[in-house]
Amino acid sequence: MRLKVITSNPGKVEEYRRSFSDLGIEMEHLRLPYDEVQTSDLSEVVSKGMDEIVSKGVRDFIVDDSGLFVDSLKGFPGVWSAYAQKTIGNKGILKLMEGVEDRGAEFRCCIGCDFAGERIIVTGVCRGVITCSEKGDGGFGFDPIFSEDGVRTFAEVPTAEKNETSHRGNAVRLLIEEMKRRGLVRGR
Ligand code: ITT
């Protein structure tokens, strides 16, 4: 069994490969641009994106829209995470948080999966804190400034360990549960 991961982000593909390897599902990276509608709802972005991809005749795929929501910044950068990452970057987020005591934040990941003609959309969340400096050189995006356990950032832990608690790992677990419930993959 094979699923295409439609993204411009190779870091996401690596995480999906790890998560799905136990189920014997192969992940193939496909760069296929699709419109990301402007909305405050990640699942709406995913759902509209899936319609567009299916209309191009592509099936059996995963799309993923994610974001970092910082409590003290009223949820910014949230749905503007990709833009914020490209413009102000991690240093810019740290600058906005200088002297801020409340470091709480959460990552959210919405996965849309088209498989065997069925559509599943799930969202995973991971709560943590924004660190005071960048740490680690693994992972991607906001990983060097986000810590789930308050000790190490996601850029300091191996991918398999990040998947155990991350927003994407949690979304994948929900997805696999639903795929099993619908009989799309085998397992209890
Ligand atoms: P695609 O839309 O092409 O899949 P993208 O990197 O633009 O790739 P998103 O819009 O979903 O992906 O992500 C918004 C931003 O959040 C982007 O800058 C990512 O690098 C970042 N991001 C997403 N998941 C992350 C994670 O697990 N760790 C750190 N940063 C993450």
Side-chain angles (χ1 to χ4, degrees), residues 6-9 12 15 34 36 64-67 81-82 85 107 140-143 162 167-168:
I6 301 182
T7 178
S8 61
N9 186 334
K12 288 184 181 177
E15 292 184 13
Y34 60 91
E36 293 194 2
D64 164 328
D65 197 43
S66 305
S81 290
Q85 183 61 227
F107 265 128
F140 62 93
F142 300 104
D143 282 344
K162 176 182 170 186
H167 46 310
R168 189 160 296 102

Side-chain angles (χ1 to χ4, degrees), residues 161-174:
E161 203 181 322
K162 176 182 170 186
N163 282 346
E164 279 170 25
T165 55
S166 77
H167 46 310
R168 189 160 296 102
N170 290 333
V172 165
R173 279 180 280 279
L174 291 173

Side-chain angles (χ1 to χ4, degrees), residues 35-101:
D35 261 355
E36 293 194 2
V37 289
Q38 280 299 307
T39 154
S40 57
D41 183 1
L42 296 180
S43 64
E44 206 181 326
V45 179
V46 161
S47 169
K48 297 252 166 68
M50 291 178 85
D51 291 342
E52 185 184 327
I53 293 164
V54 168
S55 77
K56 289 177 179 161
V58 178
R59 303 306 300 251
D60 298 339
F61 63 84
I62 273 182
V63 288
D64 164 328
D65 197 43
S66 305
L68 176 68
F69 297 73
V70 180
D71 299 349
S72 64
L73 303 178
K74 299 186 169 24
F76 181 82
V79 289
W80 299 283
S81 290
Y83 185 71
Q85 183 61 227
K86 274 183 228 134
T87 51
I88 62 173
N90 289 337
K91 287 191 173 53
I93 301 286
L94 291 180
K95 187 110 188 120
L96 291 173
M97 304 267 308
E98 252 171 29
V100 175
E101 255 176 56

Side-chain angles (χ1 to χ4, degrees), residues 121-165:
I121 297 180
V122 288
T123 301
V125 175
C126 175
R127 284 221 44 99
V129 292
I130 302 297
T131 51
C132 292
S133 61
E134 291 178 83
K135 282 190 288 175
D137 33 51
F140 62 93
F142 300 104
D143 282 344
I145 60 166
F146 182 88
S147 172
E148 186 268 332
D149 61 7
V151 181
R152 288 171 305 160
T153 67
F154 270 167
E156 292 179 298
V157 301
T159 303
E161 203 181 322
K162 176 182 170 186
N163 282 346
E164 279 170 25
T165 55

